[in-house]
């Protein structure tokens, strides 16, 4: 891949298309043009994902009336910029949801668990980026390119956003499933340290500073001794990979691996889908990658898969290995789509494909998908009012 910024014009690379036609800055609004448009609340506006969210809201079509920024009481009064305007942060409280149509939550699970139902009770549709409600049967788990229809059925007034590991591959998988019928996924993730928050990023950067310019990495344990603090990770991240992400669950599986399995099944509407994941942390700041072995009901070919991926909304096909073109996290970071390369038909199974997928875990993996869900809801609310 020769730079993801443009993301087009190279062999095997298509143009990114969006969902619901809401993909670009309209620049037509300003305060005067916002009357009658839905009110959006961003809960957790000062956090890592909240910060990315404000950037995304400033880039996308300006469909919102007021954008209210909500955070913990200690952040109240801070001024943040969204859509080029300074907005004062208000403290999280019941009153803060007064008049809100859609409330996005970019906060820890326990905060969402408490406050998303309160926002819903106040009449807002809560779009939650935490893990608090993802597997609740009365809460849809939505990826607009794959199952936007599910957002309409929300008995609790809450819609969940999937985990970033699932999100980094599911748009491409959804497109292939629609054509070939998915029967099994075997994936390995290569997860960036920002998935573990600011502490994860700070830990890797500190460790890199300690190993830079040394000859470390040649003796057992030399890197571990040199870096000392492993922060939120169970091993050194510099000059290393760690085959463990999330927390330990039953039978040796991790929470991340179970999320890939359970969330993929729910989003694709395939409760019996065979899914196996091994989640690995790698020394990348931002952008998760996955290798995927995808088995289908029907025989597949690489040209047919290329055609589907090249035209799938939210996917960029970047697959010309002879020219060194394939996605890597270093090129994909900061971009919106799911990037797919290294598409091959399995040598021993004509019904299976092997792929390499990359997605920015803070954008499509978190803030962008939440913003897209909110846009789907806003379109529905706007249509029902007209
Ligand atoms: C991680 N997927 O990468 C998680 C963050 N939600 O650690």
């Amino acid at each position: 891949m020769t730079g993801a910024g443009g993301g087009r014009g190279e062999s095997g690379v298509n143009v990114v298309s969006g969902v619901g036609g809401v993909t670009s800055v309209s620049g037509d609004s300003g305060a005067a043009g916002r009357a009658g448009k839905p009110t959006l609340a961003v809960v957790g506006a000062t956090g890592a994902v909240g910060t990315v969210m404000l950037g995304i809201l400033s880039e996308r079509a300006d469909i919102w009336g007021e954008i209210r920024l909500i955070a913990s009481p200690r952040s109240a009064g801070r001024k943040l910029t969204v859509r080029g305007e300074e907005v004062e942060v208000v403290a999280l409280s019941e009153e803060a949801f007064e008049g809100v149509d859609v409330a996005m939550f970019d906060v820890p699970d326990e905060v969402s668990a408490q406050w998303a139902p309160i926002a819903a009770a106040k009449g807002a549709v809560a779009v939650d980026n935490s893990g608090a409600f993802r597997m609740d049967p009365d809460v849809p788990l939505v990826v607009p390119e794959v199952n936007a229809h599910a957002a309409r059925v929300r008995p609790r007034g809450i819609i969940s956003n999937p985990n970033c590991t699932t999100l980094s591959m599911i748009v491409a998988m959804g497109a292939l499933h629609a054509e070939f019928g998915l029967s099994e996924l075997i994936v390995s993730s290569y997860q960036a340290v920002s998935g573990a928050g600011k502490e994860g990023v700070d830990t890797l950067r500190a460790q890199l500073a300690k190993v830079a310019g040394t000859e470390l990495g040649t003796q057992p344990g030399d890197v571990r001794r040199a870096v000392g603090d492993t922060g939120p990770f169970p091993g050194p991240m510099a000059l290393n990979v760690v085959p463990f992400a999330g927390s330990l669950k039953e039978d040796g599986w991790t929470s991340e691996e179970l999320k890939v399995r359970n969330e993929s099944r729910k989003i694709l509407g395939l409760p019996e889908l065979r899914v196996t994941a091994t989640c690995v942390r790698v020394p990348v700041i931002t952008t998760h990658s996955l290798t995927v072995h995808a088995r289908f009901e029907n025989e597949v070919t690489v040209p047919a898969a290329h055609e589907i991926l090249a035209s799938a909304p939210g996917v960029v096909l970047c697959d010309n290995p002879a020219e060194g073109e394939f996605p890597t996290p270093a090129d994909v970071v900061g971009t919106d789509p799911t990037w797919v390369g290294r598409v091959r038909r399995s040598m021993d199974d004509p019904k299976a494909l092997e792929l390499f997928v990359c997605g920015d875990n803070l954008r499509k993996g978190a803030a962008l998908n939440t913003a897209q869900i909110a846009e789907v809801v806003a379109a529905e609310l706007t249509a029902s009012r007209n």
Side-chain angles (χ1 to χ4, degrees):
M1 179 175 166
T2 49
R8 61 199 69 191
E10 294 155 9
S11 170
V13 177
N14 79 339
V15 175
V16 185
S17 32
V19 172
V22 187
T23 53
S24 60
V25 180
S26 70
D28 61 347
S29 260
R34 292 183 187 142
K37 292 183 176 178
T39 295
L40 174 71
V42 181
V43 186
T46 56
V49 175
T51 304
V52 175
M53 180 64 83
L54 299 192
I56 284 173
L57 290 171
S58 303
E59 291 164 10
R60 293 179 72 79
D62 193 1
I63 63 161
W64 301 105
E66 180 191 355
I67 295 184
R68 196 173 302 169
L69 306 185
I70 302 177
S72 64
R74 94 186 114 78
S75 296
R78 274 181 65 184
K79 291 207 168 76
L80 300 175
T81 302
V82 60
R83 298 183 295 189
E85 295 162 18
E86 272 202 340
V87 178
E88 187 169 316
V89 175
V90 299
L92 181 56
S93 68
E94 278 197 37
E95 299 69 54
F97 294 106
E98 220 61 70
V100 169
D101 296 294
V102 180
M104 297 170 171
F105 285 78
D106 293 310
V107 292
D109 291 9
E110 62 279 10
V111 180
S112 281
Q114 180 183 352
W115 286 95
I118 292 173
K122 294 291 263 182
V125 176
V127 183
D128 181 37
N129 189 30
S130 84
F133 303 100
R134 286 180 187 139
M135 298 316 297
D136 183 327
D138 288 329
V139 175
L141 183 64
V142 174
V143 181
E145 295 90 339
V146 181
N147 65 341
H149 58 89
R152 286 184 165 270
V153 185
R154 39 178 194 262
R156 298 189 62 182
I158 302 170
I159 300 171
S160 263
N161 193 57
N163 187 36
C164 51
T165 318
T166 311
L167 271 171
S168 298
M169 66 157 187
I170 202 70
V171 177
M173 291 307 111
L176 292 171
H177 167 60
E179 182 68 21
F180 299 125
L182 202 53
S183 64
E184 183 170 18
L185 284 174
I186 301 174
V187 311
S188 290
S189 72
Y190 303 74
Q191 291 179 225
V193 295
S194 59
K198 183 175 180 314
E199 191 190 358
V201 174
D202 291 346
T203 298
L204 175 57
R205 291 207 187 279
Q207 292 182 358
L208 289 173
K210 287 181 180 163
V211 302
T214 71
E215 298 293 316
L216 289 164
T218 57
Q219 298 297 322
D222 63 354
V223 171
R224 188 181 286 273
R225 283 189 295 278
V227 303
D229 182 17
T230 60
F233 308 113
M237 285 312 311
L239 307 180
N240 206 15
V241 297
V242 176
F244 190 95
S247 56
L248 190 61
K249 299 295 180 194
E250 254 180 62
D251 297 327
W253 297 101
T254 70
S255 55
E256 285 292 298
E257 290 158 355
L258 297 181
K259 285 176 193 178
V260 170
R261 174 180 169 85
N262 296 332
E263 294 176 12
S264 297
R265 288 173 155 195
K266 185 168 177 178
I267 296 160
L268 295 169
L270 297 172
E272 306 298 326
L273 183 68
R274 294 157 62 97
V275 184
T276 303
T278 300
C279 290
V280 179
R281 194 75 69 180
V282 295
V284 166
I285 298 293
T286 294
T287 292
H288 287 352
S289 307
L290 298 101
T291 57
V292 181
H293 170 89
R295 189 162 203 275
F296 300 92
E297 304 292 349
N298 304 303
E299 286 202 10
V300 287
T301 65
V302 170
H306 270 179
E307 199 180 321
I308 290 157
L309 293 166
S311 59
V315 176
V316 172
L317 177 66
C318 177
D319 194 13
N320 187 3
E323 299 295 329
E325 289 178 8
F326 35 72
T328 73
D331 296 313
V332 163
V333 62
T335 68
D336 286 345
T338 301
W339 294 75
V340 185
R342 301 297 324 282
V343 182
R344 290 145 290 150
R345 188 159 88 161
S346 301
M347 285 194 275
D348 300 317
D349 185 351
K351 292 185 174 179
L353 292 173
E354 316 296 329
L355 315 99
F356 186 73
V357 186
C358 287
D360 185 315
N361 52 300
L362 300 181
R363 293 181 73 86
K364 183 61 181 173
L368 174 62
N369 198 68
T370 306
Q372 288 175 301
I373 295 171
E375 288 165 0
V376 169
V377 175
E380 178 196 321
L381 297 179
T382 305
S384 72
R385 284 171 189 170
N386 292 335

